[in-house]
Amino acid sequence: MDGTDARLRISRIPPARPVGSLMDDVRQGLLAPPRRLPAKYFYDERGAKLFEDICATQDYYPSRCEAQLLETHGAALMQAMDARHLIELGSGSSRKTRHLLQHAAPGTIYWPFDVSEEMLRSSAAGLVAEWSGLQVHGLVGDYHAGLDLPIPDEGRRSVLFLGGTLGNFRPEQAEVFLGEIRGLLRAGDTLLLGADRVKAPGVLERAYDDREGVTAAFNLNVLRVLNRELDADFDLDGFSHRAVYNTEAERIEMYLESQREQAVRIGRLDQTLQFTAGERIRTELSHKYSEASLTALLEPAGFRIEQLLTTPEPTAYSLVLARAVD
């Protein structure tokens, strides 16, 4: 634990369970069809910048809608949560969270949890400089590896899980993860969840295949990651971006589609992959929710939906304030 300001501390959170490495996940997901990669490998330095660019496109509404809801309802949400400890999973730059933090009572402790120590230090320094009554205790680690966090017992807690990130979990994974969040809370504590809503397939597909081509570049960038980290020789011109809405599963599925028959060598695995024309690598799932499916997901995990704040159609997006119950 260290820090140059008494109101700013940084701790590293050791993993409570193993998390697969890039090599493990490629070996498990790419060596045989159906081929797939975890979405977390999008976010190298270039990928993180591309995602910021995606959020600024006209077609990608989730970030814009979530920020609008946080700005409009921030004061009321902070009052309803009434939390001394705000714990944000996957906090990134904490840009949208500022709409909440500006309403924080003196003595509030913000616990941003992210894998990037550099981003945590930078954003935390800016926050304590801006708000003299705020304390920031950054947590460096991977929330996929467990939520054994050093939160003091006194004071009410609220977990923030924004950005629609829960939608990237398969349903059974989401159920387990919500159970872990519930384990971090006591009855009466809260969860503020960002959740994209089921809507017209065309709106969803355009959001994940924007007219500027930024999402396509973001998707293809994962092949650069494999080339760099695993000594692979993916030809980015040999693959194209695809985003399709699976109506039955209520989710967007993102793929990289091979444009021709081709062989790809992955040096560090000593493997050569054979792709047929049209063969796909699934790179992301993004589940969309109805009020009924949100209730069905949250109630078994020990939460009761208290507020459901939603932007208007056609780009409906929700903030869900759920309270932990016995």
Side-chain angles (χ1 to χ4, degrees):
M1 184 181 297
D2 53 50
T4 57
D5 188 302
R7 295 181 296 115
L8 193 165
R9 292 182 291 172
I10 302 291
S11 296
R12 293 170 183 82
I13 305 301
R17 56 175 174 263
V19 176
S21 67
L22 174 60
M23 189 177 296
D24 294 332
D25 290 335
V26 167
R27 185 180 287 111
Q28 187 174 57
L30 277 193
L31 296 191
R35 304 189 198 272
R36 64 196 185 280
L37 281 171
K40 65 182 179 180
Y41 297 118
F42 283 136
Y43 298 98
D44 67 343
E45 183 177 353
R46 184 171 188 271
K49 173 60 168 62
L50 284 167
F51 184 71
E52 291 293 319
D53 293 343
I54 288 170
C55 293
T57 65
Q58 179 182 350
D59 295 316
Y60 190 76
Y61 62 85
S63 289
R64 185 170 61 251
C65 289
E66 186 173 73
Q68 176 188 330
L69 290 170
L70 288 167
E71 183 175 15
T72 302
H73 302 283
L77 285 168
M78 288 293 284
Q79 184 176 11
M81 291 187 285
D82 188 27
R84 174 168 169 77
H85 303 282
L86 293 176
I87 307 147
E88 183 170 12
L89 307 180
S91 55
S93 66
S94 303
R95 175 170 45 87
K96 287 182 291 187
T97 319
R98 288 172 170 268
H99 294 305
L100 298 172
L101 296 176
Q102 67 178 324
H103 303 291
T108 298
I109 306 174
Y110 174 50
W111 303 78
F113 188 17
D114 202 88
V115 295
S116 173
E117 181 172 353
E118 181 181 0
M119 185 172 290
L120 273 178
R121 288 186 178 277
S122 174
S123 61
L127 293 172
V128 296
E130 186 166 356
W131 291 299
S132 61
L134 182 69
Q135 300 176 49
V136 179
H137 191 151
L139 305 172
V140 181
D142 184 347
Y143 59 73
H144 294 282
L147 296 179
D148 184 12
L149 307 182
I151 315 298
D153 287 337
E154 88 286 346
R156 198 173 291 284
R157 304 174 178 184
S158 186
V159 169
L160 315 177
F161 196 37
L162 303 174
T165 308
L166 187 70
N168 299 140
F169 290 68
R170 294 193 303 274
E172 65 276 12
Q173 294 174 322
E175 181 180 341
V176 170
F177 191 65
L178 286 170
E180 289 193 51
I181 291 176
R182 178 62 185 86
L184 192 59
L185 303 176
R186 294 161 295 197
D189 290 344
T190 50
L191 165 66
L192 184 63
L193 179 69
D196 198 8
R197 301 296 294 272
V198 172
K199 57 181 64 67
V203 175
L204 287 164
E205 289 179 352
R206 176 56 67 196
Y208 289 82
D209 191 6
D210 61 274
R211 283 165 281 195
E212 299 169 50
V214 185
T215 311
F218 175 71
N219 198 7
L220 286 161
N221 184 64
V222 76
L223 300 183
R224 297 180 191 272
V225 173
L226 298 183
N227 286 348
R228 181 182 67 243
E229 301 296 330
L230 297 184
D231 188 26
D233 61 0
F234 282 94
D235 176 7
L236 273 64
D237 292 332
F239 290 84
S240 62
H241 167 66
R242 294 286 182 267
V244 297
Y245 183 61
N246 182 327
T247 304
E248 183 177 353
E250 296 184 329
R251 70 189 186 196
I252 280 284
E253 299 172 355
M254 274 186 12
Y255 296 93
L256 292 169
E257 184 174 286
S258 178
Q259 296 301 287
R260 59 178 186 268
E261 289 190 14
Q262 55 184 310
V264 176
R265 179 72 178 168
I266 302 181
R268 290 194 60 194
L269 291 183
D270 193 24
Q271 294 282 343
T272 298
L273 313 183
Q274 300 292 336
F275 287 90
T276 60
E279 186 174 356
R280 292 174 169 181
I281 303 170
R282 192 184 73 200
T283 53
E284 183 175 38
L285 299 176
S286 185
H287 290 82
K288 310 304 172 184
Y289 299 101
S290 64
E291 184 172 351
S293 62
L294 282 168
T295 300
L297 196 59
L298 287 162
E299 282 192 351
F303 291 98
R304 180 187 68 248
I305 294 178
E306 196 164 276
Q307 295 186 43
L308 186 64
L309 306 171
T310 305
T311 54
E313 294 285 3
T315 56
Y317 182 96
S318 290
L319 283 177
V320 185
L321 182 63
R323 198 165 295 276
V325 295
D326 287 326

